[in-house]
Amino acid sequence: MSDKKMSVAEIVTEKMLQKIESADPADWKKGWTLSGVPRNYVSNRPYSGINWWLLGFISPYRSPYWMTFRQVGDQGGRVKKGEKSSLAVFWKPRATTRINAAGVEEEVSLPPIMRYYRVFNWE
């Protein structure tokens, strides 16, 4: 990665390409041992979209449970020194309403909110 600030889409694409380029052809056969849909340990809410792939398939962990650094501390735990976090993406579509030239209220799409954050596996 370069020193320039990367967008969320660029970061995710880079991670996917790194995984593809470093993979053994045998990795592309169904052999994973994912034990459930990736989900947040505290809320028990399942991750969706690209997070399902980021946390479920390219992660080396078997546990489906993930937490932010703060959630680990709030639960009375601690992250081991040197432990690596994984990327999770927050994406939310946005829209607003406006009055057009004809005086009619219409919905207008805005760019989505896209952020990433780091999570740690329960293991």
Side-chain angles (χ1 to χ4, degrees):
M1 282 192 238
S2 69
D3 290 338
K4 79 172 187 109
K5 187 165 174 84
M6 296 174 69
S7 72
V8 173
E10 290 171 324
I11 292 169
V12 170
T13 301
E14 176 105 3
K15 286 218 164 277
M16 292 171 75
L17 289 174
Q18 286 173 353
K19 181 66 175 178
I20 291 168
E21 290 169 355
S22 68
D24 182 325
D27 290 343
W28 296 103
K29 294 182 181 155
K30 184 178 175 185
W32 57 79
T33 56
L34 184 64
S35 57
V37 174
R39 59 183 60 244
N40 182 277
Y41 177 79
V42 176
S43 69
N44 203 34
R45 182 172 179 231
Y47 289 97
S48 59
I50 194 68
N51 292 321
W52 203 84
W53 192 80
L54 289 170
L55 301 176
F57 292 112
I58 68 170
S59 162
Y61 303 105
R62 295 182 73 169
S63 172
Y65 296 107
W66 297 85
M67 291 184 278
T68 64
F69 186 83
R70 184 175 185 170
Q71 287 175 327
V72 171
D74 289 349
Q75 295 295 310
R78 64 182 179 82
V79 176
K80 291 179 187 175
K81 185 175 181 165
E83 186 65 38
K84 301 288 186 205
S85 62
S86 294
L87 182 77
V89 177
F90 173 78
W91 180 88
K92 182 178 180 181
R94 294 188 312 159
T96 189
T97 56
R98 70 173 184 192
I99 307 297
N100 66 16
V104 178
E105 189 174 286
E106 64 183 5
E107 190 170 299
V108 178
S109 294
L110 298 172
I113 296 170
M114 287 182 69
R115 290 184 216 134
Y116 69 90
Y117 53 101
R118 298 293 184 163
V119 292
F120 294 89
N121 189 270
W122 175 253
E123 281 183 33

